[in-house]
Amino acid sequence: MRLGVLLYTLGFGGAMLAMCMLVPLIVSIAEGHWAHARNFTMGLTLTTFVSGAMIISGLPTRRLPARNIELLAVMLLFWFVLPVLASIPLTGAVQVRSFMAGYFEAVSGLTTSGGGVIVYPQLEDSPILVWRALLGWLGGLWTLVFAVAVLAPFAIGGLSLVGSPLLQHDEDAALSSRLGRPMRFIFPYYLALTVVGVIGMAAGGDGFIASFCMALSGISGTGTSVVSGSVYDAFSLLSQLSLASLCMFSAFSLPALIAMTQMQSAKLFRETEFKVLLAIIFSFAVISALTQGGESYFALIFQAISLATTAGFNFLPADSLRNWPVLWVMLPVFIGGMGLSMAGGIKINRAILVGRELASELRRLAYPSSVSVTRMRGRAVDMVDFSATWAYMAIFILMTAAAIIVLGALGLEMEAVWAITLGGLTNSLAIVPHLGFDTSFAAMGGATQLFIIVLMIAGRIELLVLLV
């Protein structure tokens, strides 16, 4: 593994962070928050210097062909190293009182998990809220790029896009080129959806800064809000509808997302994953209405969308989500969104593949001489895909069990342990504070926060990369 190659690529990731810091810096100056302006200036200067140093140190190796282990390593380093730079401006937040707390908040944003130490966002100034939203937005972009450049080509956990032009690359291309090509392809679509989302949220009449932050958090599936309570109580119905729509976009697979932006919706409706996603949302909303009751139908549908897409917003009135069973709330989160999307969870394509394989095995038991072929996206699924999917499922279950034991040993109540473990591994920690537990992330010790950080990163890089 060549350090220069990794540093060169990490430097460009740091440069993206530095460019994003300009937005809250401008907001700080415009609103007269001079303390935040100073912190963002320091963060911008240091991030630019460190990123520039990494790029310069890696210049001699910039054209060397990328190795497989370097693709996996740079994905891991993006989530572990760059949050250190992203946490610098967060030191000015009222509720961030240590480096570990700032690092936890930055990792939570960049992994689009959304469960940070800032418990009461309304106590923070606009620059901090904007920066939190931008971290989630940038993390969503990185998630899509790595899904195309690393996860799909390696068929990690059974994810693949065989035949897609997104996967066409030169085997001798440099590491920066392997990541840069999908970045240039994805960014215009991602930016266009973001702009539409901001306009849709602003049309609800809830203020531009709040609309901007919520739109960025929604399109990336981060789930961070500008209020600590319910979205239902704080925003208009039009804003809620816009936010729920953005959450849906965050759970679409990248090919389906691009098809939508190109006005080719027919392709989306033919996707089996999309049909299953709609079925999960509809079923969850109907069963919740029958068993929980007392809620608006809009609120139940929006809440089902929020959970199924692993965004984690609370769309129910007041604190009514506290009365719902934890495992019922976490069930759609566990399944997650479509493959190669910004959503977390085990992904719908894996659930479909496992279901079809189980059905195929049952048919073989009834008719031993029959030949059964499992198909996904119009092609026969081979044994490699099955093995990768089953390996992912097994590792997910093992990591869930291990994390529950560790967090329980660290002193957390068992009901909270289940929610935090599943929330971390599915990048949906934003829903945990709305479930009514006494323990908050801000009150946890450094060791507990560090372990949850590992869970968030493991969930974002599909578990297997961390083990490799």
Side-chain angles (χ1 to χ4, degrees):
M1 194 183 306
R2 297 158 299 187
L3 181 61
V5 173
L6 299 178
L7 289 176
Y8 185 75
T9 308
L10 276 175
F12 281 102
M16 294 177 69
L17 273 177
M19 286 188 289
C20 286
M21 283 185 193
L22 287 171
V23 178
L25 175 59
I26 293 171
V27 173
S28 301
I29 296 172
E31 296 189 353
H33 298 298
W34 304 115
H36 291 303
R38 182 173 62 253
N39 288 334
F40 278 103
T41 300
M42 291 172 56
L44 176 61
T45 303
L46 186 58
T47 302
T48 302
F49 176 80
V50 172
S51 303
M54 288 193 289
I55 292 173
I56 292 172
S57 65
L59 276 176
T61 62
R62 69 186 185 279
R63 300 187 186 280
L64 296 178
R67 297 174 180 171
N68 289 343
I69 189 63
E70 290 166 352
L71 279 166
L72 298 175
V74 78
M75 182 179 179
L76 190 62
L77 291 173
F78 256 67
W79 306 119
F80 268 113
V81 175
L82 294 183
V84 175
L85 298 173
S87 65
I88 296 172
L90 291 171
T91 56
V94 174
Q95 299 166 75
V96 176
R97 300 178 181 177
S98 65
F99 168 76
M100 181 56 71
Y103 184 67
F104 185 95
E105 187 72 37
V107 172
S108 175
L110 287 172
T111 58
T112 72
S113 299
V117 298
I118 297 179
V119 181
Y120 302 102
Q122 58 267 33
L123 299 180
E124 302 292 346
D125 294 323
S126 298
I128 296 297
L129 299 180
V130 170
W131 182 231
R132 290 172 77 227
L134 281 168
L135 287 178
W137 182 83
L138 187 59
L141 177 62
W142 287 350
T143 298
L144 292 177
V145 171
F146 280 118
V148 171
V150 181
L151 298 180
F154 283 89
I156 292 176
L159 293 176
S160 62
L161 272 178
V162 177
S164 170
L166 285 171
L167 291 186
Q168 295 176 2
H169 61 265
D170 185 357
E171 292 293 338
D172 295 327
L175 181 59
S176 56
S177 298
R178 290 284 296 271
L179 297 176
R181 182 184 175 277
M183 173 70 76
R184 290 190 294 271
F185 187 87
I186 294 168
F187 182 73
Y189 298 101
Y190 190 59
L191 182 62
L193 284 172
T194 302
V195 172
V196 172
V198 172
I199 294 172
M201 288 293 300
D206 296 300
F208 180 76
I209 292 295
S211 299
F212 178 81
C213 294
M214 296 298 286
L216 266 63
S217 183
I219 191 62
S220 61
T222 306
T224 53
S225 178
V226 295
V227 293
S228 57
S230 168
V231 172
Y232 179 93
D233 299 324
F235 292 91
S236 65
L237 181 60
L238 179 57
S239 294
Q240 294 176 51
L241 177 61
S242 300
L243 185 59
S245 301
L246 290 171
C247 293
M248 282 293 291
F249 291 145
S250 73
F252 289 167
S253 67
L254 187 58
L257 199 63
I258 293 173
M260 277 209 65
T261 56
Q262 294 178 342
M263 303 303 175
Q264 299 174 350
S265 300
K267 290 184 178 180
L268 176 64
F269 296 131
R270 288 196 296 266
E271 283 273 355
T272 304
E273 283 185 274
F274 177 69
K275 297 175 184 177
V276 173
L277 177 61
L278 290 182
I280 291 172
I281 292 170
F282 179 76
S283 302
F284 185 86
V286 170
I287 296 173
S288 297
L290 295 174
T291 56
Q292 305 303 318
E295 309 295 351
S296 154
Y297 291 125
F298 282 117
L300 288 171
I301 293 172
F302 293 161
Q303 189 62 57
I305 291 173
S306 175
L307 295 174
T309 59
T310 71
F313 289 106
N314 178 17
F315 280 96
L316 298 184
D319 297 326
S320 54
L321 193 60
R322 295 168 179 257
N323 302 320
W324 288 30
V326 172
L327 291 182
W328 173 245
V329 172
M330 301 307 291
L331 180 61
V333 166
F334 171 76
I335 299 172
M338 299 168 67
L340 298 178
S341 68
M342 290 169 280
I346 63 171
K347 300 296 193 303
I348 292 173
N349 64 323
R350 291 192 182 107
I352 294 173
L353 186 59
V354 169
R356 288 180 176 176
E357 176 61 8
L358 289 174
S360 178
E361 290 296 329
L362 290 174
R363 283 195 297 270
R364 290 193 189 99
L365 288 175
Y367 305 100
S369 300
S370 65
V371 176
S372 180
V373 179
T374 303
R375 293 186 174 274
M376 283 282 289
R377 288 176 179 158
R379 70 177 182 89
V381 180
D382 54 30
M383 188 53 63
V384 174
D385 292 312
F386 284 128
S387 299
T389 301
W390 282 112
Y392 177 88
M393 299 292 286
I395 291 171
F396 189 96
I397 293 170
L398 289 174
M399 289 196 70
T400 299
I404 288 172
I405 294 172
V406 172
L407 289 176
L410 289 171
L412 299 183
E413 57 177 303
M414 190 51 62
E415 195 174 30
V417 163
W418 275 96
I420 292 171
T421 299
L422 289 175
L425 291 175
T426 60
N427 302 115
S428 58
L429 280 176
I431 197 62
V432 173
H434 302 294
L435 299 179
F437 303 122
D438 294 332
T439 303
S440 69
F441 299 116
M444 293 177 182
T448 306
Q449 290 180 348
L450 183 60
F451 185 76
I452 297 174
I453 285 171
V454 174
L455 291 182
M456 289 189 285
I457 295 175
R460 187 73 284 167
I461 60 178
E462 301 288 347
L463 304 181
L464 295 171
V465 176
L466 182 63
L467 296 183
V468 172

